[in-house]
Amino acid sequence: MKPALVLSILALALAGCSASATTVGYSFNSGSGLAPIPGSITYGGQPPTKLTKSPVGSTFSHEFTNQVGREVHETYIIEPDRSLRIIDRYVKRERIWD
């Protein structure tokens, strides 16, 4: 009986999880459904030049400031067709106590 109760509680706890998490000072987003935002390399479409010397599957990061002045860090992966896909994004939140 007890294992079934524990498993039920864990299942309910995991059901409330999402792909987005928050820690002190940062908001993290990851997954395949990240859409470009203003400032992203792929905002408005793929860049006109391709990264031909970088190996497929390699990653790199890009940092910029968003429209409300917060620091944004994005990680991209190079796809087999040499297009870029955002795989991770986090936004530095402003501290209200500073």
Side-chain angles (χ1 to χ4, degrees):
M1 180 69 179
K2 284 186 181 183
L5 180 63
V6 171
L7 287 175
S8 298
I9 291 171
L10 284 174
L12 287 173
L14 288 175
C17 294
S18 68
S20 158
T22 303
T23 60
V24 177
Y26 292 92
S27 173
F28 292 90
N29 294 297
S30 61
S32 61
L34 287 176
I37 59 174
S40 297
I41 295 173
T42 56
Y43 184 72
Q46 291 290 324
T49 57
K50 302 289 183 185
L51 298 172
T52 57
K53 293 184 180 181
S54 300
V56 170
S58 61
T59 61
F60 65 94
S61 60
H62 172 62
E63 301 174 4
F64 60 95
T65 304
N66 68 7
Q67 297 145 324
V68 294
R70 292 187 179 153
E71 196 175 317
V72 178
H73 300 266
E74 291 182 331
T75 304
Y76 292 83
I77 189 166
I78 300 174
E79 298 287 356
D81 65 351
R82 298 293 175 180
S83 64
L84 303 177
R85 179 172 50 100
I86 304 170
I87 59 170
D88 184 55
R89 174 186 298 138
Y90 65 93
V91 180
K92 186 173 182 181
R93 296 177 16 205
E94 58 185 80
R95 295 182 181 182
I96 56 173
W97 58 84
D98 284 347

